[in-house]
Amino acid sequence: MPQTTQAAVQSLVDRAIKLGDRQLAADIRAFAQQRQFGLVFEHNRPERMRLYGKKVGRGDVVQVLPERGKKEDAESQLLWLVKSVSGGVAELEPYRTLAYDENDGEPREAALEDVVAVAEYDQPIYAGLRETGRVERGGDKPYQVVINGENYHALETLAFAYAGKVDCIYIDPPYNTGARDWKYNNDYVGGDDAYRHSKWLAFMERRLKLAKQLLNPQDSVLIVTIDEKEYARLELLLESVFPNATGIQTVSITINKNGVARGNQFKRADEYAIFCFIGDAAPCQVDRKLYSVEFGELEEKVAADESGSRSQRKVRWEWLLRGGPNAARTARPNLFYPIYIDEKTATIRELGESLSLEQDWTKFPEKPGLRAIWPIRTDGREATWRISQGALQAKLDRGCAKVGEYNKKSDRYSLLYLGDSQEERLKNGEIKLVGKAEDGSLLLEEQGERSAIPTTVWSGTQFSAGEYGSRYIKRFIGERHFTFPKSLYATELSLASVIADKPDALVVDFFSGSGTTAHAVMRLNHQDGGRRRSISITNNEVSEDEAKKLTKRGLRQGDPEWEALGICQYVTKPRVTAAITGKTPDGDPIKGDYKFTDEFPMADGFEENAVFYDLTYQDPDAVELGVAFEEIAPLLWLRAGSHGLVIEREAAGYEVADAYGVLFDFAAINGFAEAAKAAGVGCAYVVTDDTARYASVKAQLPGVDVVRLYENYLQSFKIAAEDAVR
């Protein structure tokens, strides 16, 4: 891809720095800033964000909410400075700066319950997370994370935990169609707004700049879906924000083959996914037969393809342990039996008899030299194996069953077998037999001709937004309303096209809506046994119509009745939970099967974990003094990999969990270092304002990511705010 003019300027700056002439580099930058290349729009329109839930104090900038039962108006958009707070009342005076002089009112008082703190995008905020629930079915796998909060501030928060660590960002932002589908400064943007495009571009640019901080500069991809209203401007904006991207390509996806009427225009049948490749990132090979993709002509995988080694798909072996709500021992007692393995050779040696429901498996006698593996879930529930002893023995004889990985922490073995469909593919040559392992199991690999790099036009029934978006989501959350969800399979293929070869990928979606991205990530994990993580950020807004109804009832944002109907609480959390458990919010098994690839009952759910958070706003002084640890704690856990236990509260001396540790008192350094090494933690936090003490901890823990609290936390938010205006 040829360099943009802006990229060429940056190249000159880089060359000047390499030559040691920093003055020349500064002169080139100064000249470039006097010119506007490519996309031109109004950058300096302010974006103000209400900090619902933040405790209002002296010095805060606030807005006064309308009386209950009345809608927002010009008066409620005025800014006020809090002079003092006493007895539940805030004393306010008009807030005026060089950039803002709209409030010409007189000083006034307002009840604290009627005021809400406000921050402009370039003002540093200090955020934390408060857990609101979790679902656990994935053992020691990392958690899928859902954050309810304003996405700009949530991105600033993630910069502390994940700067430069994210493999893929997938977003489906508001399309700016003029249909009042998004807000700017707490007001919907209509089609008659003369600054509609500039507001949208400024809104997007600020978030993309923060997203850029998260992406791995060596190898990552940003995916943005959009329709024809803004795609041309969006491509130019991406070129501006990511001048060093190695490639930007647009894929057309047919989401409604019949088209949607657009007045006196052509019917719209497709939308676009723009892929922005960074560093060494490149499209992955995808299995076209499994996806049933109607790509047309595809770029076939050939032996000479240099990217082939990074894109080969593994042959999938199934978990022998049955999952889902129909997996209980009581449902199929004949499939509850012991499997005896030899731990020294990691082989299956014998298959035991089925136990009746009355028999207690814990009292069943062991066999000398062997270990009995029972179909017990990670949470202790009794389940069943997927196939009978006879069928399993036949697969063992063919080399199509084996012992999987051993989890040292949980002291559990996984047992795997090759499904009938995979054996059929082996027979017809779609899977190649390359040998046998020491345990007698088959060594297999996919035949190359099954894989291909997609073209830039995707057309197939699985991409239908109606069939596999709007109607699909009802299977999981019933009649709870959500407009325009993406097709699960369109999102899944978008992600697979760039992270199929990254089983531990970290994916972020900061316009997550109903949670389709998290759902797709879990589907990919199910297909290849991956441990990919997703972080889904959504707010808890209600629709415009719902807001009018709630306002008439005298309710406001923040009230429990209002929040219960917001996107995150009403749609995202229930959808992610249902996908994992296989049950609707009413407790009924989800009807139907997944299609196109990896077909299995939706009621089986996923062997995954998920945790849900609300974004909170912290006082930086309280953070620095260490009295806000409980809401900073989840960020420490996220940075350490989001798996295992969370250190929720301060402890005397230190605390060590599965993946990280926190040293609260430097006097306990020796014990902390020993405990951290014994646990094999990858991250350590040190609460100290002494540089020498911090360096001492780093020296004792080589190879460990040692982070200084609370300086690193506070500095992260300051940097994020500064980068927003660059």
Side-chain angles (χ1 to χ4, degrees):
M1 175 181 174
Q3 283 187 317
T4 63
T5 306
Q6 190 168 358
V9 170
Q10 183 60 46
S11 178
L12 290 173
V13 171
D14 293 340
R15 289 170 62 186
I17 292 175
K18 286 182 179 179
L19 292 171
D21 195 336
R22 294 190 172 275
Q23 183 58 51
L24 176 59
D27 291 343
I28 294 172
R29 283 199 190 97
F31 173 76
Q33 289 174 357
Q34 297 173 13
R35 310 274 299 175
Q36 289 191 330
F37 303 111
L39 186 64
V40 179
F41 64 96
E42 181 62 64
H43 285 78
N44 60 359
R45 299 187 64 79
E47 184 181 352
R48 302 188 190 100
M49 305 161 197
R50 287 181 175 176
L51 312 184
Y52 287 101
K54 181 184 183 301
K55 184 178 180 181
V56 173
R58 183 176 180 273
D60 281 342
V61 177
V62 301
Q63 290 177 336
V64 180
L65 299 172
E67 293 181 22
R68 289 185 178 272
K70 294 185 178 180
K71 64 180 182 180
E72 297 275 355
D73 55 19
E75 186 72 19
S76 62
Q77 303 303 314
L78 296 177
L79 300 182
W80 302 85
L81 182 67
V82 179
K83 296 298 292 180
S84 65
V85 174
S86 178
V89 176
E91 181 184 348
L92 310 175
E93 69 175 22
Y95 176 73
R96 296 192 183 95
T97 66
L98 293 175
Y100 179 84
D101 60 359
E102 298 174 15
N103 191 349
D104 56 2
E106 297 295 325
R108 57 174 296 187
E109 292 182 344
L112 277 178
E113 67 175 7
D114 293 332
V115 299
V116 59
V118 176
E120 293 195 357
Y121 78 94
D122 58 348
Q123 295 176 318
I125 57 93
Y126 302 90
L129 298 172
R130 181 186 301 119
E131 184 178 328
T132 61
R134 61 176 56 204
V135 54
E136 298 174 318
R137 293 186 69 213
D140 69 340
K141 293 180 70 173
Y143 285 67
Q144 311 300 330
V145 176
V146 177
I147 299 175
N148 167 30
E150 206 292 319
N151 62 8
Y152 186 88
H153 292 154
L155 285 170
E156 288 184 302
T157 305
L158 292 184
F160 168 72
Y162 294 126
K165 297 179 181 179
V166 173
D167 298 289
C168 176
I169 292 179
Y170 175 100
I171 55 173
D172 180 38
Y175 284 5
N176 201 25
T177 62
R180 296 172 65 82
D181 59 341
W182 68 289
K183 287 184 176 181
Y184 192 89
N185 287 346
N186 205 46
D187 193 15
Y188 286 101
V189 178
D192 57 350
D193 190 321
Y195 286 94
R196 175 162 61 95
H197 297 298
S198 283
K199 286 180 178 179
W200 187 85
L201 288 165
F203 170 87
M204 289 296 298
E205 182 186 49
R206 291 160 187 157
R207 286 153 181 81
L208 289 172
K209 284 183 176 180
L210 291 176
K212 184 178 180 180
Q213 295 180 33
L214 300 181
L215 288 165
N216 179 352
Q218 306 302 319
D219 184 357
S220 60
V221 181
L222 169 71
I223 308 171
V224 189
T225 57
I226 201 70
D227 72 359
E228 77 277 10
K229 297 295 182 181
E230 294 288 2
Y231 86 92
R233 297 181 183 88
L234 178 60
E235 284 191 340
L236 290 172
L237 179 62
L238 290 174
E239 288 184 357
S240 173
V241 177
F242 299 94
N244 295 321
T246 54
I248 297 178
Q249 279 192 293
T250 300
V251 172
S252 172
I253 307 175
T254 301
I255 62 171
N256 184 337
K257 64 180 181 180
N258 296 320
V260 177
R262 285 287 178 94
N264 59 353
Q265 302 175 351
F266 290 112
K267 289 183 177 181
R268 182 174 71 91
D270 65 345
E271 64 181 20
Y272 309 102
I274 304 177
F275 289 72
C276 182
F277 296 96
I278 298 167
D280 295 331
C284 296
Q285 308 272 349
V286 296
D287 189 324
R288 61 178 180 176
K289 182 173 181 180
L290 288 178
Y291 281 105
S292 303
V293 177
E294 299 172 21
F295 283 138
E297 292 298 320
L298 295 176
E299 179 183 338
E300 297 292 345
K301 178 180 177 182
V302 295
D305 183 358
E306 293 181 353
S307 67
S309 61
R310 56 175 271 128
S311 303
Q312 268 190 327
R313 292 175 58 88
K314 295 180 180 179
V315 175
R316 182 172 183 271
W317 291 65
E318 305 282 348
W319 297 102
L320 188 58
L321 180 65
R322 184 181 293 275
N326 298 320
R329 177 183 179 183
T330 53
R332 298 177 179 84
N334 61 312
L335 294 182
F336 189 87
Y337 57 89
I339 297 175
Y340 295 96
I341 69 169
D342 183 335
E343 292 188 272
K344 293 181 180 179
T345 59
T347 56
I348 298 174
R349 299 296 298 275
E350 294 184 32
L351 306 180
E353 297 294 325
S354 300
L355 270 62
S356 66
L357 290 175
E358 293 76 24
Q359 291 178 284
D360 185 350
W361 66 273
T362 62
K363 298 179 180 178
F364 210 76
E366 295 284 339
K367 288 183 178 289
L370 301 178
R371 174 171 175 173
I373 307 297
W374 296 87
I376 305 300
R377 307 289 287 276
T378 54
D379 59 6
R381 289 180 296 166
E382 297 176 344
T384 64
W385 301 120
R386 290 183 177 271
I387 56 178
S388 66
Q389 294 96 321
L392 179 55
Q393 185 60 57
K395 286 185 179 291
L396 279 170
D397 295 341
R398 296 192 297 271
C400 296
K402 61 182 180 180
V403 176
E405 293 183 355
Y406 171 67
N407 187 307
K408 186 176 180 180
K409 289 184 179 179
S410 63
D411 188 30
R412 291 174 62 92
Y413 285 91
S414 62
L415 300 179
L416 307 174
Y417 74 103
L418 203 63
D420 292 342
S421 61
Q422 295 289 67
E423 285 202 63
E424 185 63 30
R425 293 181 58 219
L426 177 61
K427 289 179 182 178
N428 63 31
E430 295 178 15
I431 294 176
K432 182 181 178 181
L433 174 62
V434 295
K436 283 194 174 184
E438 291 184 4
D439 62 1
S441 63
L442 304 182
L443 296 175
L444 307 168
E445 67 178 30
E446 294 279 4
Q447 290 292 72
E449 61 267 17
R450 290 177 51 81
S451 300
I453 294 177
T455 68
T456 54
V457 177
W458 299 0
S459 177
T461 56
Q462 68 270 42
F463 305 130
S464 169
E467 183 66 25
Y468 299 111
S470 300
R471 287 189 283 277
Y472 231 39
I473 196 175
K474 290 182 179 180
R475 296 173 184 254
F476 296 89
I477 61 174
E479 296 303 318
R480 299 180 181 216
H481 184 65
F482 183 81
T483 56
F484 309 122
K486 313 299 281 186
S487 162
L488 172 62
Y489 303 108
T491 302
E492 181 182 328
L493 183 53
S494 296
L495 295 174
S497 296
V498 295
I499 60 168
D501 59 352
K502 295 179 180 178
D504 297 304
L506 173 59
V507 179
V508 171
D509 181 351
F510 53 91
F511 288 101
S512 70
S514 68
T516 306
T517 299
H519 200 158
V521 167
M522 292 189 289
R523 285 252 317 148
L524 291 178
N525 284 345
H526 189 272
Q527 290 163 36
D528 62 9
R531 295 168 65 90
R532 299 174 184 85
R533 294 171 286 158
S534 66
I535 300 178
S536 301
I537 302 168
T538 185
N539 58 34
N540 207 37
E541 284 187 352
V542 300
S543 67
E544 184 179 17
D545 290 340
E546 194 70 58
K548 290 178 180 177
K549 294 175 184 177
L550 293 170
T551 300
K552 286 182 179 179
R553 291 172 51 193
L555 298 172
R556 287 176 177 162
Q557 188 168 346
D559 292 339
E561 298 94 331
W562 184 297
E563 297 299 318
L565 296 175
I567 293 171
C568 188
Q569 296 289 347
Y570 197 62
V571 177
T572 318
K573 287 174 63 175
R575 193 253 182 94
V576 172
T577 300
I580 293 174
T581 63
K583 295 182 179 180
T584 69
D586 294 329
D588 299 321
I590 299 170
K591 297 178 180 178
D593 296 343
Y594 289 108
K595 296 184 178 297
F596 305 109
T597 176
D598 195 21
E599 300 182 7
F600 66 96
M602 295 176 180
D604 281 0
F606 296 107
E607 300 290 334
E608 295 281 353
N609 304 312
V611 62
F612 308 100
Y613 292 112
D614 281 347
L615 190 72
T616 63
Y617 296 97
Q618 305 301 312
D619 181 339
D621 293 333
V623 172
E624 196 162 16
L625 291 171
V627 297
F629 182 81
E630 288 187 24
E631 293 187 356
I632 303 301
L635 295 178
L636 311 185
W637 176 75
L638 287 176
R639 180 167 178 150
S642 66
H643 68 91
L645 297 176
V646 180
I647 299 173
E648 298 179 340
R649 295 174 182 82
E650 289 196 31
Y654 66 87
E655 189 76 40
V656 174
D658 302 81
Y660 70 106
V662 183
L663 177 62
F664 296 102
D665 184 350
F666 187 77
I669 174 59
N670 292 330
F672 174 69
E674 291 178 5
K677 291 176 182 177
V681 302
C683 186
Y685 299 93
V686 184
V687 179
T688 181
D689 57 2
D690 188 301
T691 302
R693 288 182 172 182
Y694 168 65
S696 175
V697 177
K698 288 196 69 172
Q700 293 197 47
L701 295 174
V704 176
D705 177 23
V706 181
V707 181
R708 184 174 171 182
L709 293 180
Y710 292 92
E711 180 178 322
N712 288 54
Y713 166 87
L714 296 169
Q715 188 66 19
S716 174
F717 286 98
K718 291 176 183 176
I719 292 172
E722 291 169 358
D723 286 349
V725 296
R726 287 178 182 170

